[in-house]
Amino acid sequence: MNTSKTNSSKLVSRREFLRNVLVTAGAVTASALAGCAPPVTPITQPKAETPTAAPTPKEIVYAFHDPADFRKRAVELFNEKYPDIKVTLQQIPEEFPTKIFTMAAAGTLPDVVRVWEPMVLEFGRAGQVIDLQPMVDAEPEFRPEDFIESLWKFPVIAGKRFGIADGWNGHLCFYNKDLFDQAGVPYPDENWNWDDYVASARKISRPEEKIWGSDGLFIGWLHWSYKLIWQNGGQVYNEDYTECLLDRPEAIEAIQYWADLLHEAVIMPSPAQAEGLGDLFQSGRAAMQRVGTWVMGPLAKAPFKWDMVPEPKRKERRTLLHTAFNVIPTTTKDKETAWKWLNWIVGPVGMYEYVKENATPAARRSVNERRPWVREGVDAHWDYVPQAGEYGILVPAPPNVGEVEKLQNDAIQAVYLGKMTAKEALTEVAPKVTEALRRQA
């Protein structure tokens, strides 16, 4: 057995021997090194960093009715200062009031909306837009005194400011210098009155040739007739919109004065005579037209010489102003971001970019120093344009505006069409309007 075992040991192969030697030697060496080496500090592998998500850009939707091109440059400049805010322009060119009121009722108004005069106070009374005054007060560089006073004070109820204006248009009298020259009639100046207007128009009119000294009355455009009442020293409403004043002598006299001239059909065409002739002033058939300054664009290409002058007065220098107000609906989620955009477009830079493209005067006097409404190459009294903002009156914004304006419009239209006298129509309608105003107050 022992022999066998001895033989067996002898029979260990070389390969097995060498492997045993190497294993033994390695164990000794490792043991020796372990005994001499300092403690090994475990190496901690750095953890892979978790990618940080890029911040989501904030987005503001801005709605309005006029062309979006007017605001593209303002957006570009805004994004240079606020690159993390995306402004989406939403033009609503058709049925703007209807669509805006529908969205308001549904709670889906965009973040910032540019609304017309009656709408801003309608929304304010209904609690659908926020009070901007605290935000204005927190901006040390806002400078409210830079705004034309009538535009600044308009959208305020009980100390709460529901909107801020940017650009505006005022009504002036535009006249065809060629027709004045042909009739040998001096050009009007800013001191003229209604009687001067009529006298000049009579000298120019040649009804048999379809040439008239004056454009007709704008039947159906209620606000156009308001300025006649204001120029005669009257008012349409009292200050807090609780009483209609159309039955006062100043209003009755004003409407009857111009209705009589329309019925006479000498200085201006009757509605039947004007039928199918289009815009009498733009076509060179009327020597004078009293409308908003938005006509300056088409007139810049007119084939006749023209100029402008403040509208004639009776007792007071008054005219009609149109503007729009930027508001933040109460449903806007990110009001802080909405205010940054609103503050930009009513600031000196944003406002200038808008009115320059639109060729209108601005709500800020400092912007008007750059004369953004001037049409290059046209020789005209351009300084009369911003002056209208100082003596003009904005389109009123009574409660229940739809009902009260329909009542008034029907009454004044009946006078212009010869169905009633101004005294009959206005004394009849004024109490009805007052009742509607108070029902909504």
Side-chain angles (χ1 to χ4, degrees):
M1 299 270 307
N2 291 337
T3 301
S4 174
K5 184 176 181 179
T6 302
N7 291 342
S8 176
S9 299
K10 290 180 178 177
L11 291 175
V12 173
S13 69
R14 178 178 175 84
R15 180 176 298 175
E16 289 173 322
F17 171 77
L18 292 175
R19 182 172 65 225
N20 290 336
V21 169
L22 289 173
V23 169
T24 302
V28 171
T29 304
S31 176
L33 289 174
C36 297
V40 177
T41 303
I43 299 174
T44 304
Q45 296 296 327
K47 295 182 179 179
E49 294 185 0
T50 303
T52 303
T56 303
K58 299 175 181 177
E59 181 173 359
I60 288 296
V61 179
Y62 179 44
F64 44 84
H65 79 284
D66 50 4
D69 288 347
F70 293 169
R71 296 176 174 80
K72 288 185 176 178
R73 179 59 180 157
V75 172
E76 292 174 358
L77 295 175
F78 176 75
N79 282 142
E80 289 180 5
K81 184 174 183 179
Y82 300 104
D84 61 329
I85 300 176
K86 177 185 177 183
V87 179
T88 298
L89 300 177
Q90 181 181 359
Q91 184 193 9
I92 306 176
E94 304 292 337
E95 300 180 347
F96 180 75
T98 300
K99 291 179 180 177
I100 289 297
F101 280 122
T102 300
M103 285 191 282
T108 57
L109 282 170
D111 301 295
V112 182
V113 190
R114 186 176 188 268
V115 299
W116 297 340
E117 301 93 334
M119 301 164 75
V120 66
L121 293 189
E122 189 84 353
F123 285 156
R125 295 183 186 106
Q128 291 176 308
V129 293
I130 68 170
D131 177 14
L132 300 175
Q133 193 59 48
M135 296 177 169
V136 171
D137 293 341
E139 299 284 348
E141 298 181 358
F142 192 90
R143 298 182 59 232
E145 69 278 8
D146 191 28
F147 281 76
I148 294 173
E149 188 175 8
S150 60
L151 303 179
W152 181 248
K153 289 184 174 180
F154 187 91
V156 178
I157 300 176
K160 293 183 178 181
R161 170 170 305 286
F162 297 112
I164 301 176
D166 41 34
W168 57 276
N169 279 283
H171 286 219
L172 294 174
C173 179
F174 296 86
Y175 60 95
N176 182 323
K177 297 171 74 173
D178 291 347
L179 290 178
F180 270 73
D181 291 343
Q182 291 170 19
V185 177
Y187 301 147
D189 63 40
E190 59 185 342
N191 297 314
W192 66 337
N193 57 36
W194 286 4
D195 293 339
D196 297 328
Y197 181 96
V198 174
S200 295
R202 287 192 186 282
K203 293 176 183 176
I204 296 171
S205 290
R206 304 192 301 273
E208 67 282 3
E209 299 176 29
K210 296 187 184 303
I211 298 295
W212 290 275
S214 172
D215 196 1
L217 306 184
F218 286 82
I219 301 174
W221 184 359
L222 177 65
H223 303 149
W224 190 92
S225 294
Y226 284 174
K227 64 185 179 183
L228 307 178
I229 297 169
W230 298 332
Q231 289 164 3
N232 198 40
Q235 292 292 332
V236 179
Y237 307 100
N238 63 349
E239 190 171 347
D240 61 359
Y241 292 113
T242 56
E243 185 177 8
C244 175
L245 306 179
L246 285 181
D247 55 355
R248 304 300 167 88
E250 295 84 358
I252 293 172
E253 291 170 3
I255 298 301
Q256 193 64 60
Y257 180 97
W258 291 102
D260 289 344
L261 290 166
L262 178 65
H263 300 154
E264 185 186 41
V266 174
I267 73 164
M268 63 181 67
S270 68
Q273 290 172 319
E275 185 72 25
L277 296 182
D279 189 312
L280 297 177
F281 187 75
Q282 297 280 349
S283 63
R285 294 187 179 280
M288 293 182 282
Q289 186 180 53
R290 295 165 289 173
V291 292
T293 48
W294 53 76
V295 300
M296 296 187 301
L299 283 179
K301 303 175 182 177
F304 54 82
K305 293 183 294 182
W306 60 274
D307 205 340
M308 66 189 100
V309 65
E311 290 203 10
K313 64 181 180 180
R314 186 67 162 181
K315 297 177 182 175
E316 298 181 8
R317 166 68 45 79
R318 296 294 184 194
T319 195
L320 178 64
L321 303 181
H322 303 267
T323 189
F325 296 91
N326 296 279
V327 304
I328 298 177
T330 53
T331 50
T332 296
K333 293 180 180 178
D334 188 348
K335 296 180 177 61
E336 181 180 351
T337 302
W339 168 249
K340 287 180 179 177
W341 168 247
L342 195 157
N343 188 35
W344 175 260
I345 55 177
V346 301
V349 176
M351 187 180 293
Y352 175 72
E353 293 300 329
Y354 169 63
V355 298
K356 181 184 66 174
E357 294 296 326
N358 202 12
T360 63
R364 285 185 178 271
R365 293 188 177 92
S366 61
V367 174
N368 287 336
E369 293 175 359
R370 304 173 69 177
R371 295 160 56 92
W373 58 87
V374 172
R375 304 281 174 166
E376 296 296 331
V378 178
D379 182 19
H381 284 84
W382 295 109
D383 288 343
Y384 286 143
V385 173
Q387 290 176 12
E390 306 296 341
Y391 61 81
I393 298 175
L394 281 166
V395 171
N400 194 16
V401 62
E403 179 182 353
V404 302
E405 289 196 348
K406 184 178 187 310
L407 288 167
Q408 296 173 63
N409 201 36
D410 289 347
I412 293 176
Q413 187 166 317
V415 180
Y416 289 159
L417 295 179
K419 298 178 179 177
M420 301 176 75
T421 66
K423 185 174 183 179
E424 291 170 345
L426 300 185
T427 54
E428 178 181 298
V429 77
K432 297 178 181 177
V433 174
T434 295
E435 189 276 332
L437 293 171
R438 294 177 179 176
R439 188 174 65 247
Q440 293 296 318

